[in-house]
Structures are given as C-alpha cells and as structure tokens.
Amino acid sequence: MIENQYIDIFNQYRDKIDAKSAPGLNSQRDKAFEAFRKQGFPTKKLEDYLYLDVAAEFMPDFGLNLNRVPFQGNPYVAFRCEIPNMTTNLYFVLNDLFHQEHSPQVEYPKGVFVGSLKQFAEEKPEVCSKYYGQIADVNNNGIIAFNTMFAQDGLAIYVPKGVIVEEPIQLINILKSEFNYLVNRRILIIAEDDAQVKLLICDHTVDESHFLATQVTEIYAGRNAVVDCYDLEENSDKVTRLTNTFVLQEGSSNVLVNNMTLNTGVSRNNYNVKLNGEHAEAYVCGMVIADRQQYVDNFAFLDHAKPHCTSTQLFKYVLQDEAKGSFCGRILVEKDAQKTMAYQSNNNLCISPNAKMYAKPQLEIYADDVKCSHGLTTGQLDEEALFYLRSRGIGYDAAKLMLMQAFTAGVLEHVRIPRLRERLQDLVEKRFRGESARCGNCMVCK
C-alpha cells in the first residue's frame, strides 16, 4: 500500500519535521499519525469518493521539503498579482513554505496577526493550541490526517475581539519545482467576537512538473464575526489539489466561502461547516470551468446544530471536451435546530457530448419547523436561447459565450468585494474564450 511508504517517511524524519516547525503544530502529529495509520487514504469504496482514487494520486515519486529549504529570490518582484483598483495586503506561500523575508510591514489594528503559521504558533501558543487541529478533525478522512502529520507551516490570521480588518488579505500559493513535488499547506483563520476579515487565496503553478498539494483550512468565527474566504484555482493540468475547509460558527456570525476553479488537473474540495450558534449565516459557493481531461470534485456538508440559522449552497459547473465533474452536497438539520432555513442548488452545463457530471444532493432533517430545499439541473446550452440571440445578429460563438457567462453569474454575485467580482468576471470570460485564465499582470503570467 502507498500509505506504508509515507508512514515510513514520517517515522524516519519525524525529528526533522518537528525541528523545522513549532510545538503547536508538532503536538497534533501523534494523533494524526494514528488516524492515518488506521484509515489510510479515502478509497472508491467510500460513497463520498466514488469517482476519485485518492491513493493513486500519491503513487508518483514526489519530493518533500522537510528541511525547509527557502525559495531563492523575491516573489514580490517576480509573481506580484494585482487586481486593478483594489488594494490588498499580499503574502506568499512558496510550495508549502511561508515567505517571510520580503513580507510587507503592514500596520494592522492592535492585536492582529497575519503571517507565518509557524511564527504564530511560537508567538501565541495558547491561542494557536485552542484552534489549530481542533476544528479540522483528523478522523474525518485520511487526507486531513496526512496533512497534519507533515504540515510545517502555512498562513495564520488572528483578529481579536471587536477588530475590523478593512483591506482584504491576499495569499498567493506558488507551486514551483524542477521535479515532482508534494506540498502540505495549512491556513488558520481566527475571527473573535465582532471581528471582520476577508481573505483571497490564489493558486498558481510556475513549472511543468507534477505537483500534489494538500491543504487544510480552519476558520473560526466568533459571535457577530464576519469572514470572507475566496479561493481561486489557476493551476496547471499537472496539479492535483486536495483541500479540506472546516468552519465553526458562533451565534450571529456570517461566513462566506467561495471557490472558483478556472484551471486545474485534478481537484477535490471538501467543505465542512458547523453553525453552532443561533442566527448564524453560512454561504458555501463554487464555480468550475473545466475542459480537456480535467476533473473537479466538490463536497459540501453543512451542519445546522442550533436554531434560527441560515445556509446557502450554490455550485455551478461548465464542462467541455472530456472533463468530468462531481458534486455531493449534504445538509444536516439537527433535532433542536428549529427555524432553520437551508438552501442547496447545483446547476451544471455539459457543453460537449463526452463531458460527464455526477451529482448527489442530500437533506437530512430531524427538526419539524424548517424551510429547506435542494435543486439539481444538468444539461446543455439552451438551443432556443442560442437561436434567439443569433436571430438578433449575434454570432454563434458570441452567443454561446454570453449564455455561459450568464450561467456562472450567480456564483460571482456572492463575491462581496466589488473590484474582485469585476476581475473574476474578466477571468471567466477569458477562460471561456480559450485564453489563459491567469491574471497577466506578473512576469510569470506574461
């Protein structure tokens, strides 16, 4: 089994992994190791992984940067990503190493921390230990356990009670290597009561090597906290990305998680959200544009544990050529979660006859005073709408583009940063035109 190879690596290099990380991260490794040893990677025998052989993705011979060899050069010069007319505080994770040397000196409100997860664990050990590895359950699946075993760094955002971070924080994940490479990234977001913060994550690939990236994101939203997390995938076809996002919400908090896949090889994104306080609101959205042999799989589980909460799931796929997509959405309304409002929608366009989409919406309700719904549509472009546009003098390609853009608009409407929404609309149009979806503003993208 491929798991044994990684178990041996972990045992052999455990001391080195710990020495190059921090006690707050190291304290979770034993528990994660036991969970991984028992579970292994998810297999197709599991209902939620019917269409992805996870173990096969780990079979190639990958390199790992357990020695934390730093990236040579200044990414702020080579990779700077700019969104027109929008100011962000910009940070880089190069493969799975937070780039500390050229990080900006930002004057955040008192008590705010934005930077290396390793540094956060060292400077604020009590806060880190309270949340790191506590929201993401290593027993949930073997990928989370694997990531927790090997992750040595990442991004940490801590916003104390009552503090509002006005400018969005932008994290650019760069995959760069001359040989096949495995990276394990962590993101920890803590927004205490009445705090607010926005994070934009951009994934880019520089080299043509085969990359495998695991990423675990933990988000805690205290009472009345507001957290936006946007995740933009612009990777190469040789990238496999396996992400798990866990959200824990207290009363009257508002969390938006919005993932947009513009280019990838294989992508699996899991979302686990627990609404743990009354009047909490959660929005989990995703947009996928895939072609050639690409495969994108989204799984969303929203747990309504308290009364008077609201959740919205909205996922849209546009698949061309021989691309494949999968969506599984589950809403759980627990016994005491009366007055729940939960809505789930999955809409898919298969532009080409060989494109395939698999979808499974689910509702599990144990309360009797709720408003819940789920909807699923999969089809091709509306021929009547195409005919109508063409009868108005619009060419076939332009009419097709207009309909595809209109189809994806619902997900983009859930982007709560206007300048970012405009930029994403441009990127989506470029992608549909068959152009590179990359930003075009940095030296690498030109």
Side-chain angles (χ1 to χ4, degrees):
M1 296 192 303
I2 186 62
E3 288 88 348
N4 290 335
Q5 173 183 323
Y6 289 104
I7 289 173
D8 291 342
I9 292 174
F10 181 78
N11 285 328
Q12 182 178 354
Y13 294 99
R14 172 64 189 274
D15 291 343
K16 184 173 293 185
I17 294 170
D18 286 355
K20 299 292 183 177
S21 190
L25 282 66
N26 298 337
S27 64
Q28 298 297 318
R29 299 194 200 280
D30 288 336
K31 179 181 177 182
F33 174 75
E34 289 302 317
F36 180 72
R37 190 173 58 82
K38 292 177 181 178
Q39 300 175 73
F41 294 117
T43 70
K44 286 188 173 184
K45 294 181 180 179
L46 299 175
E47 187 175 357
D48 294 336
Y49 283 86
L50 287 175
Y51 309 106
L52 178 62
D53 186 352
V54 173
E57 301 298 327
F58 285 83
M59 288 296 291
D61 188 13
F62 291 106
L64 291 120
N65 187 13
L66 302 181
N67 281 319
R68 308 281 84 190
V69 177
F71 179 87
Q72 299 299 317
N74 183 354
Y76 287 86
V77 174
F79 306 113
R80 184 167 183 83
C81 180
E82 295 179 341
I83 299 172
N85 302 315
M86 187 179 95
T87 302
T88 63
N89 297 323
L90 184 61
Y91 300 88
F92 286 88
V93 167
L94 304 168
N95 293 327
D96 52 11
L97 181 66
F98 184 87
H99 187 79
Q100 191 79 42
E101 184 179 356
H102 302 96
S103 294
Q105 301 299 314
V106 181
E107 292 188 8
Y108 288 108
K110 184 178 180 181
V112 172
F113 180 96
V114 181
S116 162
L117 176 59
K118 175 179 178 292
Q119 181 183 349
F120 179 71
E122 292 169 343
E123 294 184 1
K124 297 182 180 293
E126 293 182 0
V127 178
C128 183
S129 63
K130 182 178 179 180
Y131 298 102
Y132 179 79
Q134 306 304 311
I135 304 173
D137 184 6
V138 294
N139 294 305
N140 184 278
N141 73 56
I143 302 171
I144 301 167
F146 178 89
N147 177 280
T148 306
M149 287 164 55
F150 285 102
Q152 294 168 281
D153 201 0
L155 175 75
I157 299 174
Y158 170 65
V159 186
K161 183 176 180 179
V163 174
I164 298 175
V165 178
E166 297 286 355
E167 290 186 349
I169 297 163
Q170 184 177 8
L171 172 67
I172 300 182
N173 289 321
I174 298 289
L175 293 175
K176 179 175 174 57
S177 175
E178 296 179 355
F179 50 86
N180 294 347
Y181 213 78
L182 169 60
V183 304
N184 298 287
R185 303 185 297 233
R186 297 290 293 219
I187 298 174
L188 177 63
I189 303 173
I190 304 165
E192 293 185 338
D193 296 354
D194 301 300
Q196 296 184 24
V197 67
K198 301 180 181 70
L199 173 65
L200 166 62
I201 306 166
C202 301
D203 274 18
H204 293 283
T205 312
V206 176
D207 294 316
E208 290 301 314
S209 302
H210 183 189
F211 293 93
L212 172 57
T214 75
Q215 179 173 292
V216 175
T217 301
E218 295 177 284
I219 300 174
Y220 173 78
R223 290 190 57 83
N224 299 305
V226 179
V227 179
D228 288 14
C229 184
Y230 305 98
D231 194 354
L232 179 61
E233 290 186 68
E234 298 178 283
N235 288 314
S236 78
D237 291 358
K238 294 184 178 180
V239 172
T240 295
R241 195 182 94 137
L242 307 172
T243 75
N244 285 271
T245 299
F246 285 79
V247 181
L248 178 62
Q249 296 186 232
E250 304 296 355
S252 300
S253 61
N254 186 301
V255 174
L256 166 65
V257 177
N258 199 334
N259 179 79
M260 287 145 284
T261 303
L262 298 185
N263 203 66
T264 191
V266 174
S267 182
R268 165 75 184 213
N269 303 297
N270 290 347
Y271 305 95
N272 289 266
V273 180
K274 185 167 186 176
L275 295 94
N276 201 45
E278 292 192 27
H279 302 289
E281 296 181 47
Y283 302 86
V284 180
C285 306
M287 179 187 69
V288 175
I289 302 173
D291 54 21
R292 290 158 287 176
Q293 307 266 332
Q294 297 172 348
Y295 173 74
V296 182
D297 188 344
N298 286 300
F299 174 90
F301 172 50
L302 276 73
D303 179 2
H304 285 257
K306 301 294 181 181
H308 300 283
C309 292
T310 302
S311 71
T312 298
Q313 289 183 49
L314 175 61
F315 284 82
K316 294 195 174 188
Y317 288 66
V318 180
L319 306 176
Q320 303 186 67
D321 303 327
E322 297 181 355
K324 295 181 181 179
S326 177
F327 170 76
C328 180
R330 180 184 171 205
I331 296 172
L332 170 64
V333 181
E334 298 189 26
K335 182 178 179 181
D336 296 328
Q338 304 293 346
K339 303 295 183 180
T340 286
M341 292 190 292
Y343 309 101
Q344 180 189 98
S345 179
N346 172 223
N347 308 112
N348 313 297
L349 276 180
C350 292
I351 305 298
S352 307
N354 291 327
K356 294 182 180 180
M357 182 68 200
Y358 308 96
K360 185 175 67 172
Q362 301 174 80
L363 292 176
E364 190 173 347
I365 303 172
Y366 297 99
D368 53 18
D369 186 5
V370 302
K371 292 182 179 180
C372 298
S373 67
H374 63 73
L376 164 66
T377 62
T378 299
Q380 298 178 321
L381 286 174
D382 189 334
E383 292 296 332
E384 291 186 6
L386 273 174
F387 176 80
Y388 174 83
L389 292 173
R390 297 192 68 188
S391 70
R392 296 307 189 263
I394 300 173
Y396 176 81
D397 290 340
K400 181 180 174 182
L401 176 63
M402 291 174 64
L403 291 178
M404 290 192 294
Q405 284 184 291
F407 178 80
T408 59
V411 176
L412 296 179
E413 287 172 0
H414 282 282
V415 176
R416 300 193 286 207
I417 305 174
R419 295 297 185 187
L420 175 59
R421 182 169 60 246
E422 294 171 8
R423 185 59 178 154
L424 290 171
Q425 289 169 344
D426 292 339
L427 292 176
V428 168
E429 180 178 346
K430 288 177 66 177
R431 183 69 170 88
F432 284 142
R433 291 186 185 278
E435 303 172 15
S436 170
R438 292 180 176 182
C439 61
N441 293 330
C442 67
M443 291 173 62
V444 172
C445 296
K446 290 183 178 179

